Amino acid sequence: MIFSTLEHILTHISFSVVSIVITIHFLTLFLLVDEVVGLYDSSEKGMIVTFFCITGLLVTRWIYSGHFPLSDLYESLLFLSWGFSLIHMVSYLKFKKRKNNLSAITAPSAIFTQGFATSGLLTKMHQSAILAPALQSQWLMMHVSMMVLGYAALLCGSLLSVALLVITFRKAIKIIGENNNFAFSFGKIQYMNERSNVLLNTYFLSSKNYYRYQLTQQLDRWSYRIISLGFIFLTIGILSGAVWANEAWGSYWNWDPKETWAFITWTVFAIYFHTRTNKNLEGVNSALVASMGFLIIWICYFGVNLLGIGLHSYGSFTLN
């Protein structure tokens, strides 16, 4: 009873704090008042509080249930939310003396995942149950934690790439439209990419848009570093899952829907790294691949669970 009450309290505190953090970011982004009232420091402290609340929530559930809290969709969503908060904490500690806008990505991601986890759709999963026989293994912590942390990092990195595309294409379309007076269409996207490489170099170097140029470069660096970390986690998760599958089912790979989409996700981001090594494809083109990866991750993590089939059906989504 005590653990259940504590879990309930920590859930509401973390959700409320991260909601306030998002509100602060809307104020700083659209009203530009962070320098006046010091809202940036408040948002950073809010994310720190959220991190420790979700950490306490997971530890409480671990003690209460007697197993690592990654046995169903509800617990994995909480862990995913914790992963977003962890990424923010790492970036905060690394760039403590400089302004870090990464919480504009991590805070909405954390509130989205935690909000869905604590919604009425997953009420049946809120109560901890006996661990399924297939999950009663020491590989549970290794495999699932690496996969979920990989998802969290890849999602954050992909969102940074989406932000990069929004900024780049918005300005590129404006520049090309002013100089050539033609409307943007998807059939001209390759042409725009080639032109934007030249046009953006001159446009961004002006004093008025120097900050925007710096922002796009920063987004590109952050995206690459975070995706690199997520790719390592994903690779370790897939390999450990293969070893676990061999012990449990007698085969390293069964082409289960979850396994198949995990392999597709890995392949997409392997292509992303290939585009990064090619000077002619890096930047906008690699960001496009990462943006595609954002959708692939959600299909792998959540979309497959909607089917409720395959060897990973214990993590399926069930309506009340």
Side-chain angles (χ1 to χ4, degrees):
M1 182 64 182
I2 297 177
F3 286 110
S4 179
T5 303
L6 180 60
E7 181 182 338
H8 183 76
I9 293 173
L10 290 173
T11 299
H12 283 278
I13 291 176
S14 59
F15 187 81
S16 300
V17 171
V18 78
S19 300
I20 295 173
V21 170
I22 292 178
T23 302
I24 291 174
H25 272 286
F26 276 125
L27 291 174
T28 57
L29 287 174
F30 297 106
L31 300 181
L32 302 177
V33 296
D34 54 325
E35 298 296 334
V36 178
V37 295
L39 291 179
Y40 170 73
D41 292 334
S42 299
S43 66
E44 292 296 319
K45 293 177 182 177
M47 287 301 297
I48 294 173
V49 172
T50 300
F51 172 76
F52 284 108
C53 284
I54 299 177
T55 302
L57 170 62
L58 291 172
V59 172
T60 300
R61 191 170 180 86
W62 190 352
I63 297 173
Y64 176 70
S65 63
H67 59 77
F68 194 69
L70 278 173
S71 61
D72 54 34
L73 182 60
Y74 169 70
E75 292 178 346
S76 68
L77 282 169
L78 291 179
F79 195 84
L80 182 64
S81 182
W82 180 82
F84 290 132
S85 302
L86 177 63
I87 292 172
H88 176 81
M89 286 295 296
V90 172
S91 63
Y92 171 74
L93 294 174
K94 185 174 182 180
F95 305 103
K96 195 172 183 179
K97 295 182 179 180
R98 290 180 289 172
K99 186 173 181 179
N100 176 22
N101 292 317
L102 189 60
S103 55
I105 297 294
T106 56
S109 301
I111 195 174
F112 172 76
T113 52
Q114 189 177 358
F116 183 78
T118 56
S119 67
L121 295 175
L122 300 178
T123 302
K124 289 183 179 180
M125 297 183 182
H126 290 186
Q127 296 298 324
S128 181
I130 299 175
L131 202 63
L135 300 178
Q136 295 177 5
S137 171
Q138 297 299 324
W139 287 103
L140 172 65
M141 183 185 301
M142 177 69 175
H143 169 61
V144 185
S145 62
M146 288 295 100
M147 292 298 293
V148 177
L149 286 175
Y151 292 152
L154 292 175
L155 286 170
C156 282
S158 299
L159 284 174
L160 290 172
S161 293
V162 172
L164 172 63
L165 288 177
V166 171
I167 296 173
T168 303
F169 280 128
R170 182 180 177 183
K171 286 301 174 184
I173 294 169
K174 181 178 179 180
I175 297 168
I176 294 175
E178 290 176 353
N179 287 274
N180 299 283
N181 295 319
F182 65 85
F184 171 76
S185 66
F186 289 104
K188 299 170 182 175
I189 188 171
Q190 185 60 40
Y191 173 74
M192 191 186 71
N193 286 344
E194 296 173 356
R195 288 296 309 274
S196 64
N197 290 333
V198 177
L199 294 172
L200 289 177
N201 285 337
T202 56
Y203 180 79
F204 278 135
L205 290 177
S206 65
S207 59
K208 181 179 178 180
N209 298 284
Y210 182 66
Y211 171 75
R212 193 183 300 273
Y213 172 77
Q214 283 187 317
L215 179 60
T216 56
Q217 295 300 307
Q218 188 180 55
L219 288 174
D220 187 51
R221 289 194 301 269
W222 281 358
S223 176
Y224 175 70
R225 292 176 182 177
I226 296 176
I227 288 177
S228 298
L229 180 64
F231 189 76
I232 294 174
F233 284 144
L234 182 66
T235 303
I236 296 174
I238 292 176
L239 292 176
S240 60
V243 176
W244 187 11
N246 184 59
E247 291 185 1
W249 303 315
S251 175
Y252 287 101
W253 198 266
N254 299 280
W255 292 108
D256 175 77
K258 199 79 167 181
E259 295 175 351
T260 303
W261 279 100
F263 177 72
I264 294 173
T265 303
W266 188 91
T267 303
V268 168
F269 285 98
I271 295 173
Y272 166 82
F273 288 113
H274 174 70
T275 60
R276 292 282 307 188
T277 60
N278 190 327
K279 294 296 183 182
N280 296 324
L281 296 177
E282 66 177 358
V284 172
N285 292 282
S286 60
L288 284 170
V289 177
S291 301
M292 292 173 55
F294 177 80
L295 298 176
I296 300 297
I297 296 169
W298 279 115
I299 294 175
C300 176
Y301 172 68
F302 186 73
V304 176
N305 290 335
L306 294 175
L307 301 176
I309 60 175
L311 299 173
H312 292 78
S313 59
Y314 45 77
S316 62
F317 175 77
T318 56
L319 289 171
N320 293 316

